[in-house]
Amino acid sequence: GFWAVGIGGGTGNPANLRVSDDLVKGVQQADSPRRRVTDGEWYEGSWESRWNPYGGRLLQVMIGTRWGRTDVQQDALEAGGWHCVILPGLFPRKPIEVPAGNRLEPDWRTEPDEPIAPELPKLNQADLLKIRDGEGPERRGAMRPRRWAALYGQQPQADEGGGVFRSWWFRV
């Protein structure tokens, strides 16, 4: 059988193929200690116990933005055994890292800042750089680094400092 759910679903329905989509829906959920506990309980109890008892090949697909390094998706990665397909908006300057015990599938791009889909609006290099960096010397419209790292980089990170000052305001 096949079963696709978000957090809270999937009880009582065994499957050989399980697809979960957007288990964490934003930075607020990723940062919520209560959500972390309840999501983890759902994953370990309801989701992990729903494999088809009659056997067969068991497959799991997890789709979603990785908003934090302490959410249910990270917990699944920490357990290992995943083939990770991570396609950031712009090809990263630093290598992408996944927890030990997982395999990172290769990206077809090779050049830093090479866009994922240059022919599409909002996914070409100029538009993605504008989203990341903003416009003009004041960087108007720049996305917060944490949101950029999660949405377009698939590499979650903590908020920068206390949120009052930005590193790019200063020259070292």
Side-chain angles (χ1 to χ4, degrees), residues 141-159:
M143 184 176 277
R144 288 184 172 171
R146 179 178 184 184
R147 283 183 174 70
W148 170 265
L151 283 170
Y152 292 97
Q154 289 298 303
Q155 292 292 288
Q157 65 183 33
D159 275 326

Side-chain angles (χ1 to χ4, degrees), residues 7 21-33 35-36 39 63-73 146-147 150-151 154 156-157 159:
I7 291 206
D21 184 19
D22 281 334
L23 295 179
V24 180
K25 295 190 175 33
V27 71
Q28 294 83 9
Q29 285 185 6
D31 287 348
S32 167
R35 224 13 235 259
R36 178 160 167 63
D39 291 356
I63 303 165
T65 299
R66 293 179 53 214
W67 286 101
R69 292 197 175 271
T70 59
D71 61 22
V72 67
Q73 296 173 129
R146 179 178 184 184
R147 283 183 174 70
L151 283 170
Q154 289 298 303
Q157 65 183 33
D159 275 326

Side-chain angles (χ1 to χ4, degrees), residues 15-108:
N16 291 73
L17 170 62
R18 300 182 313 177
V19 178
S20 57
D21 184 19
D22 281 334
L23 295 179
V24 180
K25 295 190 175 33
V27 71
Q28 294 83 9
Q29 285 185 6
D31 287 348
S32 167
R34 182 176 180 189
R35 224 13 235 259
R36 178 160 167 63
V37 170
T38 58
D39 291 356
E41 288 172 352
W42 169 82
Y43 186 81
E44 291 176 16
S46 298
W47 189 240
E48 281 296 298
S49 66
R50 297 300 174 224
W51 288 116
N52 188 341
Y54 303 108
R57 186 164 182 159
L58 307 174
L59 302 170
Q60 181 169 213
V61 177
M62 186 179 292
I63 303 165
T65 299
R66 293 179 53 214
W67 286 101
R69 292 197 175 271
T70 59
D71 61 22
V72 67
Q73 296 173 129
Q74 185 68 23
D75 291 345
L77 285 172
E78 294 289 340
W82 292 90
H83 288 263
C84 301
V85 178
I86 300 175
L87 300 172
L90 296 172
F91 190 72
R93 294 171 184 267
K94 297 179 193 173
I96 290 178
E97 297 177 8
V98 295
N102 298 294
R103 177 179 170 186
L104 179 62
E105 299 298 333
D107 194 325
W108 67 89

